[in-house]
Short mmCIF file of all heavy atoms in Angstrom, two decimals:
data_model
loop_
_atom_site.label_atom_id
_atom_site.label_comp_id
_atom_site.label_asym_id
_atom_site.label_seq_id
_atom_site.Cartn_x
_atom_site.Cartn_y
_atom_site.Cartn_z
N MET E 152 10.93 5.38 9.31
CA MET E 152 11.23 4.70 8.04
C MET E 152 12.03 5.64 7.13
O MET E 152 11.67 6.80 6.98
CB MET E 152 9.91 4.29 7.38
CG MET E 152 10.15 3.52 6.09
SD MET E 152 8.64 2.87 5.39
CE MET E 152 8.18 1.62 6.59
N SER E 153 13.10 5.14 6.56
CA SER E 153 13.94 5.99 5.72
C SER E 153 13.33 6.17 4.33
O SER E 153 12.42 5.44 3.94
CB SER E 153 15.34 5.40 5.60
OG SER E 153 15.32 4.37 4.65
N LYS E 154 13.86 7.14 3.62
CA LYS E 154 13.37 7.45 2.27
C LYS E 154 13.45 6.22 1.37
O LYS E 154 12.51 5.91 0.66
CB LYS E 154 14.23 8.59 1.73
CG LYS E 154 13.73 9.21 0.45
CD LYS E 154 14.56 10.44 0.15
CE LYS E 154 14.10 11.12 -1.12
NZ LYS E 154 14.39 10.31 -2.30
N ASN E 155 14.58 5.51 1.44
CA ASN E 155 14.75 4.35 0.57
C ASN E 155 13.77 3.23 0.89
O ASN E 155 13.31 2.55 -0.01
CB ASN E 155 16.18 3.82 0.66
CG ASN E 155 17.15 4.76 -0.04
OD1 ASN E 155 16.73 5.63 -0.80
ND2 ASN E 155 18.44 4.57 0.20
N ASP E 156 13.47 3.07 2.17
CA ASP E 156 12.51 2.03 2.55
C ASP E 156 11.16 2.28 1.89
O ASP E 156 10.44 1.35 1.56
CB ASP E 156 12.33 1.98 4.06
CG ASP E 156 13.54 1.36 4.75
OD1 ASP E 156 14.36 0.74 4.05
OD2 ASP E 156 13.66 1.51 5.97
N LYS E 157 10.84 3.54 1.73
CA LYS E 157 9.53 3.87 1.14
C LYS E 157 9.46 3.54 -0.34
O LYS E 157 8.38 3.45 -0.91
CB LYS E 157 9.21 5.36 1.36
CG LYS E 157 8.93 5.65 2.83
CD LYS E 157 8.26 6.98 3.00
CE LYS E 157 7.86 7.18 4.45
NZ LYS E 157 7.07 8.39 4.64
N ASP E 158 10.62 3.38 -0.97
CA ASP E 158 10.64 3.01 -2.38
C ASP E 158 10.56 1.50 -2.56
O ASP E 158 10.46 1.00 -3.69
CB ASP E 158 11.91 3.53 -3.05
CG ASP E 158 11.86 5.05 -3.20
OD1 ASP E 158 10.75 5.57 -3.42
OD2 ASP E 158 12.92 5.69 -3.10
N GLU E 159 10.60 0.78 -1.45
CA GLU E 159 10.54 -0.69 -1.54
C GLU E 159 9.22 -1.11 -2.19
O GLU E 159 8.15 -0.59 -1.86
CB GLU E 159 10.62 -1.29 -0.13
CG GLU E 159 10.63 -2.79 -0.14
CD GLU E 159 10.30 -3.39 1.23
OE1 GLU E 159 10.31 -2.66 2.22
OE2 GLU E 159 10.02 -4.60 1.27
N LEU E 160 9.31 -2.07 -3.10
CA LEU E 160 8.09 -2.55 -3.74
C LEU E 160 7.36 -3.51 -2.82
O LEU E 160 7.94 -4.46 -2.30
CB LEU E 160 8.41 -3.26 -5.06
CG LEU E 160 8.80 -2.37 -6.23
CD1 LEU E 160 8.98 -3.22 -7.48
CD2 LEU E 160 7.75 -1.29 -6.49
N ILE E 161 6.12 -3.22 -2.58
CA ILE E 161 5.29 -4.08 -1.75
C ILE E 161 4.57 -5.08 -2.66
O ILE E 161 4.50 -6.26 -2.39
CB ILE E 161 4.26 -3.25 -0.95
CG1 ILE E 161 4.96 -2.16 -0.11
CG2 ILE E 161 3.40 -4.16 -0.07
CD1 ILE E 161 5.98 -2.67 0.88
N CYS E 162 4.03 -4.56 -3.75
CA CYS E 162 3.38 -5.43 -4.74
C CYS E 162 4.30 -5.50 -5.96
O CYS E 162 4.46 -4.52 -6.68
CB CYS E 162 2.03 -4.85 -5.13
SG CYS E 162 1.22 -5.79 -6.45
N ILE E 163 4.90 -6.66 -6.12
CA ILE E 163 5.84 -6.85 -7.23
C ILE E 163 5.10 -6.89 -8.57
O ILE E 163 5.53 -6.27 -9.54
CB ILE E 163 6.62 -8.19 -7.06
CG1 ILE E 163 7.26 -8.29 -5.66
CG2 ILE E 163 7.67 -8.35 -8.15
CD1 ILE E 163 8.26 -7.23 -5.33
N CYS E 164 3.98 -7.59 -8.59
CA CYS E 164 3.25 -7.75 -9.86
C CYS E 164 2.91 -6.42 -10.50
O CYS E 164 3.00 -6.26 -11.71
CB CYS E 164 1.96 -8.53 -9.62
SG CYS E 164 2.23 -10.22 -9.07
N ASN E 165 2.48 -5.46 -9.70
CA ASN E 165 2.05 -4.17 -10.25
C ASN E 165 3.00 -3.04 -9.91
O ASN E 165 2.66 -1.87 -10.08
CB ASN E 165 0.63 -3.85 -9.78
CG ASN E 165 -0.40 -4.68 -10.52
OD1 ASN E 165 -0.23 -5.00 -11.70
ND2 ASN E 165 -1.45 -5.08 -9.85
N SER E 166 4.19 -3.38 -9.41
CA SER E 166 5.20 -2.36 -9.05
C SER E 166 4.64 -1.26 -8.17
O SER E 166 4.76 -0.08 -8.47
CB SER E 166 5.80 -1.72 -10.31
OG SER E 166 6.46 -2.68 -11.07
N VAL E 167 4.00 -1.66 -7.08
CA VAL E 167 3.44 -0.67 -6.15
C VAL E 167 4.36 -0.59 -4.94
O VAL E 167 4.57 -1.59 -4.24
CB VAL E 167 2.01 -1.06 -5.71
CG1 VAL E 167 1.44 0.00 -4.76
CG2 VAL E 167 1.10 -1.22 -6.93
N SER E 168 4.88 0.61 -4.70
CA SER E 168 5.80 0.82 -3.58
C SER E 168 5.05 1.18 -2.31
O SER E 168 3.86 1.54 -2.34
CB SER E 168 6.76 1.95 -3.92
OG SER E 168 6.04 3.15 -4.08
N TYR E 169 5.77 1.12 -1.19
CA TYR E 169 5.21 1.56 0.09
C TYR E 169 4.70 3.00 -0.05
O TYR E 169 3.61 3.34 0.39
CB TYR E 169 6.29 1.49 1.18
CG TYR E 169 5.82 1.98 2.52
CD1 TYR E 169 5.32 1.10 3.47
CD2 TYR E 169 5.85 3.34 2.83
CE1 TYR E 169 4.87 1.55 4.70
CE2 TYR E 169 5.40 3.81 4.05
CZ TYR E 169 4.91 2.91 4.99
OH TYR E 169 4.46 3.36 6.18
N ARG E 170 5.51 3.82 -0.71
CA ARG E 170 5.16 5.23 -0.89
C ARG E 170 3.83 5.39 -1.63
O ARG E 170 3.02 6.25 -1.28
CB ARG E 170 6.27 5.92 -1.69
CG ARG E 170 6.12 7.42 -1.82
CD ARG E 170 7.14 7.97 -2.80
NE ARG E 170 8.50 7.58 -2.46
CZ ARG E 170 9.24 8.20 -1.54
NH1 ARG E 170 8.77 9.22 -0.90
NH2 ARG E 170 10.45 7.79 -1.29
N ARG E 171 3.60 4.55 -2.62
CA ARG E 171 2.36 4.64 -3.40
C ARG E 171 1.15 4.29 -2.53
O ARG E 171 0.08 4.90 -2.67
CB ARG E 171 2.47 3.69 -4.61
CG ARG E 171 1.31 3.76 -5.57
CD ARG E 171 1.23 5.12 -6.25
NE ARG E 171 -0.06 5.32 -6.92
CZ ARG E 171 -1.10 5.91 -6.35
NH1 ARG E 171 -1.05 6.38 -5.13
NH2 ARG E 171 -2.22 6.05 -7.02
N ILE E 172 1.34 3.33 -1.64
CA ILE E 172 0.24 2.96 -0.74
C ILE E 172 -0.03 4.11 0.23
O ILE E 172 -1.17 4.46 0.50
CB ILE E 172 0.58 1.65 0.00
CG1 ILE E 172 0.63 0.50 -1.01
CG2 ILE E 172 -0.45 1.34 1.10
CD1 ILE E 172 1.18 -0.80 -0.46
N GLU E 173 1.06 4.69 0.72
CA GLU E 173 0.94 5.83 1.64
C GLU E 173 0.19 6.99 0.94
O GLU E 173 -0.68 7.61 1.54
CB GLU E 173 2.34 6.26 2.05
CG GLU E 173 2.40 7.20 3.21
CD GLU E 173 3.84 7.51 3.58
OE1 GLU E 173 4.66 7.85 2.69
OE2 GLU E 173 4.16 7.41 4.76
N GLU E 174 0.54 7.22 -0.31
CA GLU E 174 -0.13 8.30 -1.06
C GLU E 174 -1.62 8.00 -1.23
O GLU E 174 -2.45 8.89 -1.11
CB GLU E 174 0.50 8.44 -2.46
CG GLU E 174 1.80 9.21 -2.45
CD GLU E 174 2.56 9.09 -3.78
OE1 GLU E 174 2.05 8.49 -4.75
OE2 GLU E 174 3.69 9.60 -3.82
N ALA E 175 -1.93 6.75 -1.50
CA ALA E 175 -3.34 6.37 -1.67
C ALA E 175 -4.11 6.63 -0.38
O ALA E 175 -5.24 7.12 -0.41
CB ALA E 175 -3.46 4.90 -2.09
N VAL E 176 -3.48 6.34 0.76
CA VAL E 176 -4.13 6.59 2.06
C VAL E 176 -4.33 8.10 2.24
O VAL E 176 -5.40 8.55 2.66
CB VAL E 176 -3.32 5.98 3.23
CG1 VAL E 176 -3.84 6.45 4.57
CG2 VAL E 176 -3.33 4.46 3.15
N GLU E 177 -3.32 8.87 1.86
CA GLU E 177 -3.44 10.34 1.96
C GLU E 177 -4.56 10.84 1.07
O GLU E 177 -5.22 11.84 1.35
CB GLU E 177 -2.11 11.02 1.57
CG GLU E 177 -1.08 10.96 2.68
CD GLU E 177 0.33 11.27 2.20
OE1 GLU E 177 0.50 11.70 1.03
OE2 GLU E 177 1.27 11.06 2.99
N GLN E 178 -4.79 10.13 -0.04
CA GLN E 178 -5.84 10.53 -0.98
C GLN E 178 -7.21 9.95 -0.60
O GLN E 178 -8.16 10.09 -1.34
CB GLN E 178 -5.45 10.11 -2.40
CG GLN E 178 -4.30 10.95 -2.95
CD GLN E 178 -3.58 10.28 -4.13
OE1 GLN E 178 -4.03 9.27 -4.64
NE2 GLN E 178 -2.47 10.85 -4.53
N GLY E 179 -7.26 9.28 0.54
CA GLY E 179 -8.56 8.84 1.05
C GLY E 179 -8.82 7.36 1.12
O GLY E 179 -9.93 6.95 1.49
N ALA E 180 -7.86 6.52 0.72
CA ALA E 180 -8.08 5.08 0.81
C ALA E 180 -8.28 4.67 2.27
O ALA E 180 -7.53 5.09 3.13
CB ALA E 180 -6.90 4.32 0.22
N LYS E 181 -9.33 3.89 2.52
CA LYS E 181 -9.66 3.51 3.89
C LYS E 181 -9.52 2.00 4.11
O LYS E 181 -9.45 1.54 5.24
CB LYS E 181 -11.11 3.89 4.22
CG LYS E 181 -11.38 5.38 4.19
CD LYS E 181 -11.24 5.99 5.57
CE LYS E 181 -11.53 7.48 5.59
NZ LYS E 181 -10.42 8.26 5.00
N ASN E 182 -9.56 1.25 3.05
CA ASN E 182 -9.50 -0.21 3.20
C ASN E 182 -8.78 -0.82 2.00
O ASN E 182 -8.40 -0.12 1.07
CB ASN E 182 -10.92 -0.78 3.35
CG ASN E 182 -11.83 -0.29 2.24
OD1 ASN E 182 -11.43 -0.24 1.08
ND2 ASN E 182 -13.05 0.07 2.57
N TYR E 183 -8.64 -2.15 2.08
CA TYR E 183 -7.89 -2.82 1.03
C TYR E 183 -8.51 -2.61 -0.37
O TYR E 183 -7.80 -2.42 -1.35
CB TYR E 183 -7.73 -4.32 1.34
CG TYR E 183 -7.18 -5.02 0.15
CD1 TYR E 183 -5.86 -4.78 -0.25
CD2 TYR E 183 -7.98 -5.82 -0.64
CE1 TYR E 183 -5.36 -5.33 -1.41
CE2 TYR E 183 -7.48 -6.39 -1.79
CZ TYR E 183 -6.18 -6.13 -2.17
OH TYR E 183 -5.70 -6.67 -3.32
N GLU E 184 -9.83 -2.63 -0.43
CA GLU E 184 -10.50 -2.47 -1.73
C GLU E 184 -10.12 -1.12 -2.36
O GLU E 184 -9.93 -1.03 -3.57
CB GLU E 184 -12.03 -2.57 -1.58
CG GLU E 184 -12.55 -3.99 -1.42
CD GLU E 184 -12.23 -4.60 -0.06
OE1 GLU E 184 -12.05 -3.83 0.91
OE2 GLU E 184 -12.14 -5.83 0.02
N ASP E 185 -10.04 -0.08 -1.52
CA ASP E 185 -9.66 1.25 -2.04
C ASP E 185 -8.25 1.19 -2.61
O ASP E 185 -7.97 1.76 -3.67
CB ASP E 185 -9.69 2.30 -0.92
CG ASP E 185 -11.10 2.57 -0.41
OD1 ASP E 185 -12.06 2.23 -1.11
OD2 ASP E 185 -11.21 3.13 0.70
N ILE E 186 -7.35 0.52 -1.89
CA ILE E 186 -5.96 0.43 -2.33
C ILE E 186 -5.88 -0.32 -3.66
O ILE E 186 -5.18 0.10 -4.59
CB ILE E 186 -5.09 -0.30 -1.27
CG1 ILE E 186 -5.05 0.47 0.05
CG2 ILE E 186 -3.66 -0.55 -1.79
CD1 ILE E 186 -4.25 1.75 0.04
N LEU E 187 -6.63 -1.39 -3.74
CA LEU E 187 -6.65 -2.18 -4.98
C LEU E 187 -7.12 -1.31 -6.14
O LEU E 187 -6.49 -1.29 -7.21
CB LEU E 187 -7.58 -3.40 -4.80
CG LEU E 187 -7.82 -4.24 -6.05
CD1 LEU E 187 -6.52 -4.84 -6.58
CD2 LEU E 187 -8.82 -5.36 -5.77
N GLU E 188 -8.18 -0.58 -5.92
CA GLU E 188 -8.72 0.27 -6.97
C GLU E 188 -7.75 1.39 -7.36
O GLU E 188 -7.57 1.69 -8.54
CB GLU E 188 -10.03 0.88 -6.45
CG GLU E 188 -10.91 1.43 -7.55
CD GLU E 188 -12.24 1.90 -6.98
OE1 GLU E 188 -12.91 1.10 -6.28
OE2 GLU E 188 -12.58 3.06 -7.20
N MET E 189 -7.10 1.98 -6.37
CA MET E 189 -6.25 3.14 -6.64
C MET E 189 -4.84 2.78 -7.12
O MET E 189 -4.22 3.55 -7.85
CB MET E 189 -6.15 4.01 -5.38
CG MET E 189 -7.48 4.68 -5.05
SD MET E 189 -7.55 5.32 -3.37
CE MET E 189 -6.76 6.91 -3.56
N THR E 190 -4.34 1.62 -6.71
CA THR E 190 -2.94 1.30 -7.05
C THR E 190 -2.80 0.00 -7.84
O THR E 190 -1.78 -0.22 -8.46
CB THR E 190 -2.08 1.15 -5.78
OG1 THR E 190 -2.45 -0.06 -5.10
CG2 THR E 190 -2.25 2.33 -4.83
N GLY E 191 -3.80 -0.86 -7.74
CA GLY E 191 -3.71 -2.17 -8.38
C GLY E 191 -3.00 -3.20 -7.52
O GLY E 191 -2.91 -4.37 -7.90
N ALA E 192 -2.49 -2.78 -6.35
CA ALA E 192 -1.77 -3.72 -5.49
C ALA E 192 -2.65 -4.89 -5.08
O ALA E 192 -3.77 -4.70 -4.61
CB ALA E 192 -1.27 -3.00 -4.23
N GLY E 193 -2.15 -6.08 -5.30
CA GLY E 193 -2.88 -7.29 -4.91
C GLY E 193 -3.79 -7.84 -5.97
O GLY E 193 -4.41 -8.88 -5.78
N GLY E 194 -3.86 -7.17 -7.10
CA GLY E 194 -4.81 -7.58 -8.13
C GLY E 194 -4.34 -8.69 -9.04
O GLY E 194 -5.11 -9.18 -9.86
N VAL E 195 -3.09 -9.11 -8.91
CA VAL E 195 -2.59 -10.16 -9.81
C VAL E 195 -2.44 -11.49 -9.07
O VAL E 195 -3.33 -12.33 -9.10
CB VAL E 195 -1.29 -9.72 -10.51
CG1 VAL E 195 -0.83 -10.79 -11.50
CG2 VAL E 195 -1.50 -8.40 -11.24
N CYS E 196 -1.33 -11.68 -8.35
CA CYS E 196 -1.13 -12.97 -7.68
C CYS E 196 -1.74 -13.00 -6.28
O CYS E 196 -1.99 -14.06 -5.73
CB CYS E 196 0.35 -13.33 -7.60
SG CYS E 196 1.26 -12.42 -6.32
N GLY E 197 -1.96 -11.82 -5.71
CA GLY E 197 -2.56 -11.75 -4.37
C GLY E 197 -1.57 -11.97 -3.24
O GLY E 197 -1.93 -11.86 -2.07
N GLY E 198 -0.32 -12.25 -3.59
CA GLY E 198 0.67 -12.56 -2.57
C GLY E 198 1.03 -11.42 -1.64
O GLY E 198 1.58 -11.63 -0.57
N CYS E 199 0.72 -10.21 -2.05
CA CYS E 199 1.10 -9.04 -1.23
C CYS E 199 -0.04 -8.53 -0.37
O CYS E 199 0.14 -7.58 0.39
CB CYS E 199 1.56 -7.92 -2.16
SG CYS E 199 0.24 -7.42 -3.30
N ILE E 200 -1.21 -9.12 -0.50
CA ILE E 200 -2.40 -8.56 0.16
C ILE E 200 -2.21 -8.42 1.68
O ILE E 200 -2.55 -7.38 2.25
CB ILE E 200 -3.66 -9.41 -0.15
CG1 ILE E 200 -3.99 -9.26 -1.64
CG2 ILE E 200 -4.85 -8.98 0.71
CD1 ILE E 200 -5.17 -10.10 -2.11
N GLU E 201 -1.63 -9.44 2.30
CA GLU E 201 -1.44 -9.39 3.75
C GLU E 201 -0.54 -8.22 4.13
O GLU E 201 -0.80 -7.50 5.10
CB GLU E 201 -0.83 -10.71 4.23
CG GLU E 201 -1.12 -10.98 5.70
CD GLU E 201 -0.68 -12.37 6.10
OE1 GLU E 201 -0.96 -13.32 5.33
OE2 GLU E 201 -0.06 -12.50 7.15
N ARG E 202 0.51 -8.03 3.37
CA ARG E 202 1.46 -6.95 3.62
C ARG E 202 0.78 -5.58 3.40
O ARG E 202 0.96 -4.65 4.20
CB ARG E 202 2.63 -7.14 2.64
CG ARG E 202 3.84 -6.42 3.00
CD ARG E 202 5.07 -7.13 3.34
NE ARG E 202 6.03 -6.12 3.79
CZ ARG E 202 7.01 -5.66 3.03
NH1 ARG E 202 7.23 -6.16 1.83
NH2 ARG E 202 7.80 -4.72 3.47
N VAL E 203 0.01 -5.48 2.33
CA VAL E 203 -0.71 -4.24 2.04
C VAL E 203 -1.65 -3.93 3.21
O VAL E 203 -1.74 -2.80 3.69
CB VAL E 203 -1.51 -4.35 0.72
CG1 VAL E 203 -2.42 -3.15 0.52
CG2 VAL E 203 -0.56 -4.49 -0.47
N ASP E 204 -2.31 -4.96 3.68
CA ASP E 204 -3.26 -4.81 4.78
C ASP E 204 -2.55 -4.33 6.06
O ASP E 204 -3.06 -3.45 6.76
CB ASP E 204 -3.90 -6.18 5.03
CG ASP E 204 -5.38 -6.06 5.28
OD1 ASP E 204 -6.00 -5.16 4.68
OD2 ASP E 204 -5.89 -6.86 6.07
N ASP E 205 -1.39 -4.89 6.34
CA ASP E 205 -0.61 -4.48 7.52
C ASP E 205 -0.22 -3.01 7.42
O ASP E 205 -0.33 -2.26 8.38
CB ASP E 205 0.68 -5.31 7.64
CG ASP E 205 0.41 -6.69 8.19
OD1 ASP E 205 -0.72 -6.94 8.67
OD2 ASP E 205 1.33 -7.53 8.14
N ILE E 206 0.23 -2.61 6.23
CA ILE E 206 0.65 -1.22 6.02
C ILE E 206 -0.55 -0.29 6.19
O ILE E 206 -0.48 0.73 6.86
CB ILE E 206 1.28 -1.06 4.62
CG1 ILE E 206 2.58 -1.84 4.55
CG2 ILE E 206 1.50 0.41 4.28
CD1 ILE E 206 3.16 -1.98 3.16
N LEU E 207 -1.65 -0.72 5.60
CA LEU E 207 -2.88 0.06 5.69
C LEU E 207 -3.27 0.28 7.15
O LEU E 207 -3.57 1.40 7.57
CB LEU E 207 -3.96 -0.72 4.95
CG LEU E 207 -5.25 0.00 4.60
CD1 LEU E 207 -4.97 1.20 3.73
CD2 LEU E 207 -6.15 -0.97 3.85
N ARG E 208 -3.24 -0.80 7.92
CA ARG E 208 -3.61 -0.72 9.33
C ARG E 208 -2.67 0.25 10.08
O ARG E 208 -3.10 0.95 10.98
CB ARG E 208 -3.52 -2.10 9.99
CG ARG E 208 -4.90 -2.64 10.32
CD ARG E 208 -4.76 -3.84 11.21
NE ARG E 208 -4.10 -4.95 10.52
CZ ARG E 208 -4.74 -5.88 9.85
NH1 ARG E 208 -6.05 -5.86 9.81
NH2 ARG E 208 -4.10 -6.85 9.24
N SER E 209 -1.39 0.27 9.68
CA SER E 209 -0.44 1.14 10.37
C SER E 209 -0.62 2.61 9.98
O SER E 209 -0.22 3.50 10.70
CB SER E 209 0.99 0.68 10.10
OG SER E 209 1.37 1.02 8.78
N LEU E 210 -1.25 2.84 8.82
CA LEU E 210 -1.37 4.22 8.33
C LEU E 210 -2.74 4.85 8.59
O LEU E 210 -2.84 6.05 8.84
CB LEU E 210 -1.12 4.27 6.81
CG LEU E 210 0.31 3.95 6.35
CD1 LEU E 210 0.35 3.90 4.83
CD2 LEU E 210 1.29 4.98 6.87
N VAL E 211 -3.79 4.02 8.51
CA VAL E 211 -5.14 4.56 8.64
C VAL E 211 -5.48 4.73 10.12
O VAL E 211 -5.33 3.80 10.90
CB VAL E 211 -6.18 3.62 7.96
CG1 VAL E 211 -7.61 4.11 8.23
CG2 VAL E 211 -5.93 3.55 6.47
N VAL E 212 -5.88 5.92 10.46
CA VAL E 212 -6.29 6.17 11.85
C VAL E 212 -7.73 5.68 11.98
O VAL E 212 -8.62 6.16 11.29
CB VAL E 212 -6.20 7.68 12.18
CG1 VAL E 212 -6.59 7.94 13.62
CG2 VAL E 212 -4.79 8.16 11.91
N GLN E 213 -7.90 4.71 12.85
CA GLN E 213 -9.25 4.10 12.99
C GLN E 213 -10.18 5.01 13.77
O GLN E 213 -9.77 5.68 14.68
CB GLN E 213 -9.14 2.76 13.73
CG GLN E 213 -8.20 1.79 13.09
CD GLN E 213 -8.70 1.23 11.75
OE1 GLN E 213 -9.89 1.29 11.46
NE2 GLN E 213 -7.80 0.70 10.95
S1 FES P 898 2.69 -9.14 -5.53
FE1 FES P 898 0.92 -7.94 -5.48
S2 FES P 898 -0.48 -9.00 -6.79
FE2 FES P 898 1.35 -10.14 -6.91
#
């Protein structure tokens, strides 16, 4: 993934980028609830939750 792709907004409502989600995972986020708490992603319209979940699954080592 290129640098610019990481700046892409995943959650429009709260302006949360891919990079911000990645940082939250690095800081210990393990599930969607952690991401919501740490970044606010998905807390408004909920339209990004599936995408956030996919990203989370790709980043978190199970
Ligand atoms: S796009 Fe994430 S809560 Fe609306």
